[in-house]
């Protein structure tokens, strides 16, 4: 075991797979000698060479399409989009091409591409760096979308995602990169895609979250415990497909749920979670399922992040609403 | 008032650059060799094979249009007029090369090894049409104009990484050259010195929009300058010229010297697609007949007849064979088993996600009724 930050765990996962499989390539803007704008690929080019870890011209559309092209020569590209707000430039490549590649070839071709990108608020980045756009990806058939909330999950999920023969969008929350350390096993291991994790067991309300909102939900659960409210915290880990089995089991036990996301209310995957839970657990519910989300505006100017981003207090408030319903 | 004297003259620079892009030709429209020194090395058999493919494809186009009108084909983008551009460029390739076509480039796929029945199934909208046989190095026709350019760059970079003796070739139209992916594609290939051939088939119109409305550039070939890519404009109605420049682009590419852009100046006689386009709304019959005089089949036929390699009887026989083959293939396409929703689901992922597994059960039950 080593105490790692999430970004160190991510680097370790990429190094593991670069070592395990010579078809794995790491590419993107400034991922080579520079080691990435967040140091996620630090040291990888030095260890594995310029053929395996390399920089590209500054153009996201060609970048993700380079990933797709490389799969035709049996490579397994790990493509970095520098900030996920820039995915609009590559939206056809990701959603119009990569996601459809297997189906449009009638199952004869695969796109084992992993797209990594940082996102997420609370670290005062400029415009279109922090936007939560996982909803766009989750609405795209053909992709799997993973959002880890801690170092140990990040390593296991990333190794699993690189090994997946299906395209995976792997979103890394910038606030979680170095905000805490955690024991991460040194050996290689995987965490199954599409499986949620129960972070904390509880009896009274299910708090369903992902990304940076998992930490907020845990803080909220701590505060609620002081008022004798027992909250179960579930980390989705994969936002497409969503592990409804785990969610349904939890809600059937607690009979109440709050779905929490950093994205705007009209975005993210919260609406989808509520809809599915309504269909699957309506007879167990003691109260309507509520959501904690950001307001339906553009992502705020830096100075307004604190008043805009959802946080533990919003979660506590919603949890009490469903309990007092 | 006389213009102020300037120390620099950007207009002069532009004019000088544009004047360098002269159209490359070998055969004139009467079938005479006007550039003897440039004749490609092709045996008599190879010359006949090129003509055979062009005639065969002209028949395919005529039959496809009428099958489409009868409702026996679906989406179809006519190719008549572009045989030299499509097939002479393809003829310069090897089986190991990767074809990344646009929606109009079905003929190249067929000659690269895609069975005709599958080409018809693509038109009809059946997934079996896109299940390419092993060893046919190609992607399905790309509908998103420009996407094939960036993908071709990726394929070429992959080929280079594997040190293969092969190239990626991709095709776009004049309108497509206005897309961002057009530029990104050849710029990436150039930066990586990747073995790619980027063909711009300038058939004068993007649906109804003439090339002057796409760009003020005098040629599409010169766009390669922006990325340091050697580029040439070629008479796209001249099979020998198209073959020659493609062959040389391939040689440069496999020698590790990077990509080439080839603008083929050509014309489509038919509509943009069979989905209701009516060319009489945007071009004149005079224009059509001017281009018909430049027909690649007319000039190549004349060239081969002068060499005693071709005659009417041979051509008629070939056309009959083509019609028979087409008839058989469309019948096979018609008889292909209908698609199911569960098949579509099964083709989505290697590892089917939970949502789809649930839906798969539902549709499996429906389909077994």
């Amino acid at each position: 075991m080593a105490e790692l930050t999430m970004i160190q765990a991510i680097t370790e996962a990429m190094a593991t797979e670069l070592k395990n499989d010579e078809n794995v390539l790491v590419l993107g803007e400034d991922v080579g000698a520079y080691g990435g704008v967040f140091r996620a690929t630090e040291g990888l080019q030095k260890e594995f060479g310029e053929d395996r870890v390399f920089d590209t011209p500054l153009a996201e559309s060609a970048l993700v399409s380079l990933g797709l092209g490389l799969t035709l020569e049996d490579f397994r590209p790990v493509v970095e989009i520098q900030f996920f707000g820039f995915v609009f430039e590559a939206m056809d490549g990701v959603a119009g091409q990569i996601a459809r590649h297997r189906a449009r070839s009638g199952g004869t071709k695969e796109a084992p591409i992993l797209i990594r990108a940082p996102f997420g608020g609370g670290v005062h980045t400029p415009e279109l760096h922090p936007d939560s756009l996982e909803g766009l990806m989750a609405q795209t058939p053909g992709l799997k979308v993973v959002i880890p909330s801690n170092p140990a999950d990040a390593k296991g999920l990333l190794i699993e995602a690189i090994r997946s023969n299906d395209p995976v969008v792997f979103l890394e929350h910038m606030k979680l990169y170095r905000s805490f350390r955690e024991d991460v096993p040194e050996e290689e291991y995987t965490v199954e895609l599409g499986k949620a994790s129960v972070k904390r067991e509880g009896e009274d309300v299910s708090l369903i979250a992902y990304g940076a909102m998992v930490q907020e939900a845990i803080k909220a659960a701590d505060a609620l415990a002081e008022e004798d409210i027992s909250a179960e915290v579930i980390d989705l880990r994969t936002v497409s497909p969503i592990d409804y089995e785990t969610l349904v089991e939890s809600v059937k036990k607690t009979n109440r749920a709050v779905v929490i996301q950093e994205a705007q209310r009209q975005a993210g995957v919260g609406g989808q979670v509520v809809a599915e839970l309504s269909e699957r657990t309506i007879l167990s519910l003691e109260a309507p399922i509520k959501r904690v989300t950001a307001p339906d505006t553009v992502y705020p100017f830096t100075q307004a992040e604190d008043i805009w981003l959802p946080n533990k207090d919003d979660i506590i408030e919603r949890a009490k609403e469903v309990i007092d319903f | 008032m006389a213009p102020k004297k300037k120390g620099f003259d950007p207009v002069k620079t532009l004019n000088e650059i544009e004047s360098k892009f002269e159209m490359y030709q070998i055969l004139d429209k009467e079938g005479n060799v006007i550039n003897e020194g440039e004749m490609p090395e092709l045996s008599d058999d190879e010359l006949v094979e090129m003509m055979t493919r062009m005639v065969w494809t002209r028949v395919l186009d005529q039959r496809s249009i009428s099958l489409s009108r009868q409702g026996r084909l679906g989406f179809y983008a006519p190719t008549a007029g572009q045989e030299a551009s499509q097939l002479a460029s393809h003829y310069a390739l090897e089986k190991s090369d990767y074809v990344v076509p646009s929606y109009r480039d079905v003929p190249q796929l067929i000659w690269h090894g895609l069975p005709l029945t599958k080409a018809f199934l693509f038109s009809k909208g059946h997934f079996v049409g896109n299940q390419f046989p092993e060893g046919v190095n190609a992607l399905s026709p790309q509908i998103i104009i420009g996407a094939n350019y960036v993908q071709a760059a990726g394929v070429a970079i992959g080929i280079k990484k594997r040190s293969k003796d092969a190239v990626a070739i991709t095709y776009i139209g004049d309108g497509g050259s206005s897309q961002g992916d057009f530029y990104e594609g050849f710029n990436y290939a150039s930066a990586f010195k990747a073995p790619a051939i980027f063909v711009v088939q300038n058939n004068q119109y993007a649906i109804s929009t003439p090339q002057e409305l796409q760009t003020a550039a005098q040629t599409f070939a010169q766009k390669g300058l922006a990325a340091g890519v050697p580029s040439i404009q070629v008479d796209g109605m001249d099979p020998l010229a198209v073959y020659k420049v493609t062959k040389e682009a391939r040689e440069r590419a496999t020698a590790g010297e990077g990509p080439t852009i080839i603008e083929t100046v050509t014309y489509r006689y038919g509509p943009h697609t069979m989905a209701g386009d009516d060319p009489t709304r945007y071009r004149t019959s005079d224009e059509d007949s001017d281009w018909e005089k430049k027909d690649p089949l007319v000039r190549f036929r004349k060239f081969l007849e002068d060499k005693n390699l071709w005659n009417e009887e041979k051509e008629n026989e070939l056309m009959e064979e083509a019609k028979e083959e087409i008839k058989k293939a469309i019948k096979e396409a018609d008889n292909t088993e209908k698609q199911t929703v569960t098949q579509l689901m099964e083709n989505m992922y290697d590892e089917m996600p939970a949502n789809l597994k649930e839906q798969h059960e539902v549709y499996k039950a429906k389909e077994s009724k």
Side-chain angles (χ1 to χ4, degrees), chain B residues 35-78:
Chain B
N35 208 345
E36 191 69 54
E38 291 296 306
M39 272 298 285
E41 280 176 39
L42 285 164
S43 68
D44 288 352
D45 284 352
E46 287 171 326
L47 290 169
V48 167
E49 175 63 19
M50 257 171 69
M51 182 63 178
T52 301
R53 293 183 181 195
M54 293 203 297
V55 171
W56 194 96
T57 304
R58 179 68 61 88
V59 176
L60 175 65
D61 183 68
Q62 287 160 351
R63 293 301 302 139
S64 298
I65 286 172
S66 76
L67 288 165
S68 176
R69 290 205 175 110
Q70 294 161 29
R72 289 182 76 190
L73 283 181
F75 173 78
Y76 181 68

Side-chain angles (χ1 to χ4, degrees), chain B residues 25 27-32 290 293-295 298-299:
Chain B
Q25 282 179 302
L27 270 189
D28 71 7
K29 61 182 198 283
E30 276 81 39
N32 304 311
D290 279 353
K293 286 177 200 139
K294 298 179 187 168
D295 194 300
V298 171
R299 70 174 79 174

Side-chain angles (χ1 to χ4, degrees), chain B residues 31-207:
Chain B
N32 304 311
V33 175
I34 52 170
N35 208 345
E36 191 69 54
E38 291 296 306
M39 272 298 285
E41 280 176 39
L42 285 164
S43 68
D44 288 352
D45 284 352
E46 287 171 326
L47 290 169
V48 167
E49 175 63 19
M50 257 171 69
M51 182 63 178
T52 301
R53 293 183 181 195
M54 293 203 297
V55 171
W56 194 96
T57 304
R58 179 68 61 88
V59 176
L60 175 65
D61 183 68
Q62 287 160 351
R63 293 301 302 139
S64 298
I65 286 172
S66 76
L67 288 165
S68 176
R69 290 205 175 110
Q70 294 161 29
R72 289 182 76 190
L73 283 181
F75 173 78
Y76 181 68
T79 59
Q82 297 187 208
E83 290 85 356
S85 170
Q86 294 182 318
L87 302 169
S89 62
H90 178 264
Y91 198 60
L93 304 178
E94 301 293 331
K95 187 85 182 153
S96 56
D97 296 337
Y98 222 105
V99 179
V100 191
S102 83
Y103 54 87
R104 202 181 301 283
D105 302 311
V106 175
Q108 295 96 307
L109 290 177
I110 293 170
W111 291 107
H112 211 55
L114 181 68
L116 187 55
T117 303
K118 284 185 183 279
F120 287 152
L121 286 169
F122 162 75
S123 168
K124 288 160 75 79
H126 196 302
F127 73 88
V128 167
N130 284 5
Q131 288 178 322
F132 287 13
E134 192 78 29
V136 175
N137 293 332
L139 286 173
S140 316
Q142 179 57 249
I143 297 296
I144 302 302
I145 297 170
N148 48 324
Y149 256 52
V150 275
Q151 288 168 9
V155 175
I157 293 164
I159 288 170
K160 183 176 179 178
K161 284 190 166 292
R162 294 292 188 205
S163 307
K164 285 191 179 169
D165 183 31
V167 303
I169 189 168
T170 188
Y171 297 83
I172 206 164
D174 38 307
S177 71
S178 301
Q179 292 278 357
D181 276 353
F182 169 79
Y183 170 72
E184 287 190 26
F186 63 75
N187 184 57
Y188 257 55
S190 175
F192 283 87
K193 246 182 189 297
I197 302 173
F198 295 97
V199 182
V200 185
Q201 300 189 85
N202 171 8
N203 67 12
Q204 314 300 315
Y205 288 90
I207 307 187

Side-chain angles (χ1 to χ4, degrees), chain B residues 79-369:
Chain B
T79 59
Q82 297 187 208
E83 290 85 356
S85 170
Q86 294 182 318
L87 302 169
S89 62
H90 178 264
Y91 198 60
L93 304 178
E94 301 293 331
K95 187 85 182 153
S96 56
D97 296 337
Y98 222 105
V99 179
V100 191
S102 83
Y103 54 87
R104 202 181 301 283
D105 302 311
V106 175
Q108 295 96 307
L109 290 177
I110 293 170
W111 291 107
H112 211 55
L114 181 68
L116 187 55
T117 303
K118 284 185 183 279
F120 287 152
L121 286 169
F122 162 75
S123 168
K124 288 160 75 79
H126 196 302
F127 73 88
V128 167
N130 284 5
Q131 288 178 322
F132 287 13
E134 192 78 29
V136 175
N137 293 332
L139 286 173
S140 316
Q142 179 57 249
I143 297 296
I144 302 302
I145 297 170
N148 48 324
Y149 256 52
V150 275
Q151 288 168 9
V155 175
I157 293 164
I159 288 170
K160 183 176 179 178
K161 284 190 166 292
R162 294 292 188 205
S163 307
K164 285 191 179 169
D165 183 31
V167 303
I169 189 168
T170 188
Y171 297 83
I172 206 164
D174 38 307
S177 71
S178 301
Q179 292 278 357
D181 276 353
F182 169 79
Y183 170 72
E184 287 190 26
F186 63 75
N187 184 57
Y188 257 55
S190 175
F192 283 87
K193 246 182 189 297
I197 302 173
F198 295 97
V199 182
V200 185
Q201 300 189 85
N202 171 8
N203 67 12
Q204 314 300 315
Y205 288 90
I207 307 187
S208 68
T209 307
Q211 54 166 304
E212 309 84 74
L213 287 178
Q214 299 294 342
T215 179
Q218 293 303 297
T219 69
F220 293 100
Q222 74 197 61
K223 296 199 169 203
L225 283 174
V229 179
S231 313
I232 189 162
Q233 187 190 58
V234 58
D235 181 351
M237 307 300 253
D238 174 353
L240 296 176
V242 172
Y243 173 84
K244 176 81 186 244
V245 298
T246 314
K247 188 86 180 163
E248 285 185 2
R250 190 182 185 281
E251 278 161 16
R252 284 192 60 250
T254 53
E257 289 166 31
T260 306
I261 293 176
I262 299 170
E263 175 191 355
T264 62
V265 180
T266 180
Y267 196 71
R268 66 167 153 83
Y269 299 143
H272 164 67
T273 68
M274 294 306 292
D277 175 39
D278 173 10
T280 62
R281 292 170 74 106
Y282 53 85
R283 64 190 191 198
T284 62
S285 55
D286 281 356
E287 189 182 355
D288 285 350
S289 57
D290 279 353
W291 278 96
E292 273 160 26
K293 286 177 200 139
K294 298 179 187 168
D295 194 300
L297 299 191
V298 171
R299 70 174 79 174
F300 205 43
R301 183 185 292 124
K302 176 75 176 20
F303 169 77
L304 293 178
E305 281 171 355
D306 289 350
K307 289 166 102 54
N308 269 327
L309 293 172
W310 198 261
N311 56 48
E312 201 182 331
E313 195 191 343
K314 192 174 189 146
E315 184 160 332
N316 287 338
E317 206 174 293
L318 167 62
M319 287 166 73
E320 285 315 308
E321 278 170 26
K323 282 180 198 161
E324 278 309 306
E325 206 178 327
I326 290 163
K327 205 186 278 176
K328 201 170 139 245
I330 193 76
K331 204 178 257 173
E332 256 178 53
D334 287 344
N335 292 336
T336 303
E337 213 174 315
K338 283 206 175 97
Q339 299 168 90
T340 62
V341 177
T342 49
Q343 282 171 329
L344 181 56
M345 290 172 164
E346 287 154 14
N347 289 340
M348 286 294 300
Y349 295 90
D350 176 42
E351 216 166 303
M352 198 182 276
N355 54 323
L356 215 43
K357 273 186 193 154
E358 285 182 12
Q359 295 162 31
H360 192 262
E361 288 304 310
V362 173
Y363 279 85
K364 204 162 83 184
K366 268 193 196 184
E367 288 166 4
S368 65
K369 267 180 201 158

Side-chain angles (χ1 to χ4, degrees), chain A residues 263-284:
Chain A
Q264 296 90 334
R265 197 170 175 84
Q266 69 188 50
V269 299
Q272 185 70 16
V273 173
V274 174
E276 292 281 347
L277 286 178
S278 302
E279 285 196 21
R280 292 161 198 257
T281 65
I282 187 83
L283 296 177
S284 307

